[in-house]
Amino acid sequence: MLSNVTHPTRLVPIAFMAAIAIGTALLMLPLSHEGPGHAPFLTALFTATSAVCVTGLIVVDTPVYWSTFGQVVILALFQIGGFGIMAAATLLGLLAGRGFRLKDRLRTQVERSFFDMVDARSVLRLILLVTIAVEAALALALTLRLRFSYDQDWPVAAWHGFFHAVSAFNNAGFSTYSDSLMGFQNDWLFLTPIMLAIVLSSLGFPVIHELQSRSTAGSDRPWTLHTKITLLGTAILLIVGFATVLAVEWHNPDTLGPMGLGGKLLNSAFQSVTTRTTGFNTLDIGALHDETLAVTYLLMFIGGGSAGTAGGIKITTFFVLAIVVWSEARGERDAALFGRRIGTSIERQALTVVLLSLALVSLGTMVILAVTDYPLVAVLFETISAFATVGLSTGITGQLPPVAELVLIVLMLIGRVGTITIATALALGRGRSALHYPEERPIVG
């Protein structure tokens, strides 16, 4: 019984739920609430889940509702969620002198997949170093900008800079400003560092590890297919998002319309970057045209790179299926890209992730539609944003009834832990069948 509980595929959801439970308890303390009394259970639970799952959806105004202590708790929760509870547990195990056993490696790989077990120790070290370095550099840049361009006192500037640096790198989307980052719409020096940090963390640590290894040691080995797909897919999705927002919102009086060329370019780029994973916004999401929202659905659902702080079904999952469809349409025997064939097991895993994700988003959407009067466009946006742990909202999150909030909580948790991990955990103990049934070909299409 104990071995089942400590199985890697069950440790991940258990660890995340434990962090959410602790965060909920802390946020319910009167010390966390700005003003008399304490936060209701559901408000604290929703906020803790959103923080640990690095989503950014909120049902209350963060800087107004939560005290400084409450905001520190939220920051700690999305730092834990972004860094990865399994990575932290493994590092603590190493520091305690327990050694790097096979079980520890497996636990780490569930949360940070695609790692070679031999390199797991160096990857964990890289995660820690990159997290500290990027967050520190970004915090310094934002603090200096807030101090000298916005005349904020050093303590205030440092707090806002540090909070947004950690939130950005962990793709959390929480902000200490009630309007997120809309007050910085025309500030290139504030938004650009945030965009760079978001893109870097959304690549995933396997890609960062490969980039770092080649930059320091150099290698004649070809790039892994995973890295090639992630880098190419990231570039394609960023360009698609940027071009869509720029073209569709160019004359929208409630978004890009009143801005000059520089503002249009900056905010289109920022919207494209944040849509895929983070949840900060410089534009009023509720004022976007339906065409922009439609593309936003897709970008949020795809998300970022595997084994990073981004959410969604992941870039590799989407492009693996795209390659399979393209190869099948051309009548090719194998699905291949860059001279490499994609294994059947990977194709099935990608298909499983997509279908499970679509089913969860569809079910969540139907439930919320049944208990609210909001239109499908807004509800679908909310459910995709929750499942993909993006955090963008058209503005309805705070007005949802308790049942709808619970639906979003479940979607955020499953979206962060991963549909494959959940499915594997539920099927724990079931071995592969030794039976091979006769093959038959049903008509498809």
Side-chain angles (χ1 to χ4, degrees), residues 254-317:
D254 297 318
T255 55
L256 297 183
M259 300 180 185
L261 178 60
K264 293 178 189 291
L265 295 174
L266 175 61
N267 286 274
S268 295
F270 191 87
Q271 184 66 24
S272 178
V273 170
T274 192
T275 291
R276 291 181 43 248
T277 178
T278 307
F280 287 133
N281 65 284
T282 59
L283 301 175
D284 183 358
I285 303 301
L288 296 174
H289 287 314
D290 288 345
E291 298 89 338
T292 305
L293 292 177
V295 174
T296 301
Y297 293 155
L298 178 63
L299 295 177
M300 290 194 301
F301 189 71
I302 296 173
S306 301
T309 55
I313 62 171
K314 303 302 191 300
I315 292 173
T316 43
T317 303

Side-chain angles (χ1 to χ4, degrees), residues 83-95:
F83 183 80
I85 293 177
M86 291 302 98
T90 305
L91 285 173
L92 289 174
L94 287 172
L95 293 173

Side-chain angles (χ1 to χ4, degrees), residues 6-278:
T6 58
H7 191 281
T9 56
R10 285 191 173 172
L11 271 177
V12 173
I14 289 173
F16 271 90
M17 287 188 286
I20 291 170
I22 294 172
T24 301
L26 291 174
L27 290 176
M28 288 185 67
L29 295 174
L31 185 61
S32 297
H33 184 239
E34 188 68 50
H38 63 83
F41 170 74
L42 189 56
T43 299
L45 175 63
F46 190 99
T47 305
T49 304
S50 183
V52 173
C53 297
V54 291
T55 305
L57 285 175
I58 55 175
V59 291
V60 292
D61 190 347
T62 302
V64 174
Y65 190 87
W66 301 109
S67 66
T68 300
F69 176 80
Q71 293 175 42
V72 170
V73 170
I74 293 171
L75 184 150
L77 291 176
F78 60 66
Q79 177 71 87
I80 292 171
F83 183 80
I85 293 177
M86 291 302 98
T90 305
L91 285 173
L92 289 174
L94 287 172
L95 293 173
R98 293 169 47 215
F100 205 68
R101 302 175 300 176
L102 177 60
K103 184 186 294 186
D104 297 313
R105 295 172 182 176
L106 290 175
R107 290 176 183 175
T108 304
Q109 280 195 287
V110 173
E111 168 65 6
R112 304 293 189 200
S113 56
F114 282 97
F115 294 160
D116 186 335
M117 284 188 179
V118 177
D119 296 331
R121 186 192 295 262
S122 63
V123 170
L124 287 171
R125 186 183 301 113
L126 177 66
I127 293 173
L128 180 61
L129 292 177
V130 170
T131 299
I132 294 174
V134 174
E135 288 181 359
L138 182 57
L140 178 61
L142 298 182
T143 298
L144 293 175
R145 187 63 177 166
L146 291 171
R147 174 66 184 93
F148 294 109
S149 296
Y150 295 89
D151 295 325
Q152 293 185 2
D153 294 335
W154 278 111
V156 176
W159 166 243
H160 289 305
F162 179 68
F163 190 98
H164 286 91
V166 178
S167 185
F169 184 74
N170 289 288
N171 289 187
F174 279 88
S175 176
T176 51
Y177 298 110
S178 298
D179 60 354
S180 189
L181 301 183
M182 293 182 67
F184 303 93
Q185 282 182 338
N186 297 305
D187 193 338
W188 285 82
L189 293 178
F190 190 88
L191 297 182
T192 300
I194 290 179
M195 284 191 287
L196 293 176
I198 293 171
V199 172
L200 176 63
S201 61
S202 68
L203 292 176
F205 282 101
V207 175
I208 296 175
H209 184 238
E210 185 168 354
L211 293 174
Q212 182 267 342
S213 298
R214 289 175 176 275
S215 65
T216 55
S219 175
D220 294 331
R221 291 188 308 169
W223 294 92
T224 62
L225 184 59
H226 172 74
T227 295
K228 290 179 180 179
I229 292 177
T230 301
L231 294 177
L232 178 62
T234 296
I236 292 173
L237 295 177
L238 288 176
I239 292 172
V240 169
F242 170 76
T244 299
V245 176
L246 189 64
V248 177
E249 302 296 325
W250 185 276
H251 296 295
N252 187 340
D254 297 318
T255 55
L256 297 183
M259 300 180 185
L261 178 60
K264 293 178 189 291
L265 295 174
L266 175 61
N267 286 274
S268 295
F270 191 87
Q271 184 66 24
S272 178
V273 170
T274 192
T275 291
R276 291 181 43 248
T277 178
T278 307

